[in-house]
Amino acid sequence: HAADAQRTDLMTITRYVLNEQSKHPEARGDLTILLSHIVLGCKFVCSAVNKAGLAKLIGLAGDTNIQGEEQKKLDVLSNDVFINALKSSGRANVLVSEENEEPIFVEASKRGRYCVVFDPLDGSSNIDCGVSIGTIFGIYMLQEGSEGTVADVLKPGKNMVAAGYCMYGSSCTLVLSTGTGANGFTLDPSLGEFILTHPNIKIPKKGKIYSVNEGNAKNWDQPTTSYFIICRYVEKAKFPIDGSSPKSLRYIGSMVADVHRTLLYGGIFMYPADKKSPNGKLRVLYEVFPMSFLVEQAGGQSFTGQGRALDIVPKNIHERSPIFLGSYDDVEEIKALYSAAEVKK
Ligand code: P6P
């Protein structure tokens, strides 16, 4: 019966979001409309990303395509698609994109009550070798009485009302949370619909995988404690002192892919500060916050070395932060190392 229900009673992302809206009688449906436009953007980017490889093969790449139009790089194309989708929703107000130095303020006639921070195509340097890449987004409600200023997005991640990512890989998977758990939807290209495939994702309490770019080890900021902590953690993962089996190292170098694996299989994903990036490499608003929001909703945790990632109050829209996120117990281990180091100081 369950299989039949799956076939004849499809839980699409649109239906899921409407169900969530129905739990809030006061809701005007604005978030539902905003999310439907983000989903449309993801479908478009999924199609463009899948063609990109082919385009490269049949020589459509380079400056102009066969129509003589200027060929846009995928990340620029994706950025334009999301900005247009968000503006046309009539529910967005302040937009922050990884691709735009300054915030985008939607024109008055199309302004809504939500602010969206996003990385339209994270990991795009991996496109040419076919590694999974993705869109990451977070949504804030406009502050009471605000017409829309940058202050509306310089808020802690815990203030977000929704967050998600869409991973463009062997399949197109969108993981979304509106604050009541994390759910995964897979695009059925024959329907053009995202179908619920990973209901109520719960990250394993402890994992057997650690994920960090050990190639940065030379640059892990030696002067401070984090260098010794990361090295001790990695050492322990390779040579466990309690007789347990060593952890596996998995590092794809595309945040959406590394976080998606961590959510489903467990373990810890780390991007510590290093000499090259004294505040870490990943951006607070549209990488650290949305991923931390999702990991917490799935029962894990996310730590910066100083405190809970979602508690950061960003000072500028492209601010960076170190990040340690994943299985609750694995992040707890890192936190214990940091607090022990504090005590020693
Ligand atoms: P590194 C991709 O460029 C990205 O922004 C994230 O998707 C990824 O987690 C990180 O950078 C990889 O950085 O320094 O390990 O290549």
Side-chain angles (χ1 to χ4, degrees):
H1 174 65
D4 179 51
Q6 198 138 48
R7 266 197 305 278
T8 59
D9 187 17
L10 288 178
M11 177 53 81
T12 64
I13 195 166
T14 310
R15 194 174 144 197
Y16 170 81
V17 172
L18 279 168
N19 281 353
E20 286 305 296
Q21 177 194 324
S22 65
K23 294 173 187 169
H24 304 273
E26 77 288 355
R28 293 190 266 183
D30 289 350
L31 183 60
T32 298
I33 291 169
L34 180 71
L35 286 169
S36 69
H37 283 74
I38 291 175
V39 166
L40 174 69
C42 292
K43 290 179 186 174
F44 184 98
V45 172
C46 176
S47 156
V49 164
N50 290 343
K51 284 187 199 117
L54 195 60
K56 266 216 176 329
L57 277 179
I58 56 177
L60 284 185
D63 294 336
T64 58
N65 61 21
I66 40 176
Q67 290 84 10
E69 292 145 7
E70 185 229 328
Q71 190 75 19
K72 283 184 177 171
K73 276 167 60 76
L74 261 182
D75 41 11
V76 174
L77 178 79
S78 309
N79 193 41
D80 293 350
V81 163
F82 279 106
I83 291 173
N84 293 334
L86 290 166
K87 284 180 175 174
S88 64
S89 75
R91 287 359 187 235
N93 197 304
V94 184
L95 307 179
V96 169
S97 166
E98 192 266 348
E99 293 283 335
N100 295 67
E101 195 51 41
E102 298 303 324
I104 298 160
F105 300 97
V106 176
E107 60 187 270
S109 64
K110 292 186 179 170
R111 236 172 252 162
R113 298 183 300 149
Y114 291 98
C115 301
V116 185
V117 295
F118 62 99
D119 186 346
L121 204 59
D122 183 76
S124 48
S125 55
N126 293 300
I127 291 176
D128 293 358
C129 61
V131 165
S132 298
I133 52 179
T135 299
I136 311 171
F137 62 90
I139 302 175
Y140 291 100
M141 172 77 90
L142 207 62
Q143 291 175 110
E144 215 40 56
S146 168
E147 285 300 301
T149 68
V150 71
D152 288 291
V153 292
L154 294 179
K155 294 279 169 228
K158 62 190 172 191
N159 292 21
M160 287 185 168
V161 294
Y165 61 78
C166 190
M167 184 172 74
Y168 311 109
S170 51
S171 63
C172 179
T173 304
L174 197 156
V175 175
L176 172 71
S177 173
T178 54
T180 55
N183 289 278
F185 303 83
T186 304
L187 182 64
D188 177 339
S190 66
L191 292 176
E193 281 288 355
F194 280 97
I195 310 295
L196 179 65
T197 47
H198 298 76
N200 198 23
I201 296 173
K202 286 298 167 211
I203 187 168
K205 195 162 179 299
K206 190 164 178 45
K208 302 184 77 54
I209 296 170
Y210 72 102
S211 183
V212 66
N213 183 347
E214 292 204 30
N216 288 337
K218 185 168 163 290
N219 296 316
W220 284 337
D221 48 357
Q222 278 89 328
T224 69
T225 45
S226 75
Y227 170 72
F228 301 106
I229 287 170
I230 308 297
C231 290
R232 275 189 57 195
Y233 184 87
V234 169
E235 201 56 25
K236 203 163 153 285
K238 291 174 174 173
F239 305 99
I241 45 176
D242 59 1
S244 60
S245 52
K247 290 184 187 266
S248 292
L249 168 59
R250 292 282 183 276
Y251 191 73
I252 303 167
S254 177
M255 188 184 194
V256 174
D258 279 317
V259 171
H260 189 62
R261 183 206 56 249
T262 303
L263 266 181
L264 299 188
Y265 295 177
I268 188 165
F269 169 76
M270 307 184 269
Y271 206 109
D274 63 38
K275 277 198 298 229
K276 274 185 309 179
S277 335
N279 292 317
K281 176 184 182 184
L282 300 176
R283 309 285 187 167
V284 171
L285 275 186
Y286 40 78
E287 288 175 323
V288 171
F289 277 171
M291 293 315 204
S292 302
F293 189 99
L294 289 165
V295 164
E296 286 199 1
Q297 287 289 318
Q301 55 177 334
S302 180
F303 179 64
T304 64
Q306 310 293 323
R308 181 189 179 212
L310 290 180
D311 287 343
I312 299 172
V313 180
K315 292 177 189 59
N316 73 68
I317 61 173
H318 296 296
E319 190 171 305
R320 302 170 192 262
S321 167
I323 185 78
F324 306 86
L325 64 75
S327 292
Y328 192 89
D329 290 357
D330 295 342
V331 177
E332 208 55 24
E333 241 182 277
I334 285 278
K335 286 166 74 173
L337 288 170
Y338 267 94
S339 48
E342 280 306 303
V343 165
K344 275 202 195 116
K345 263 184 186 169

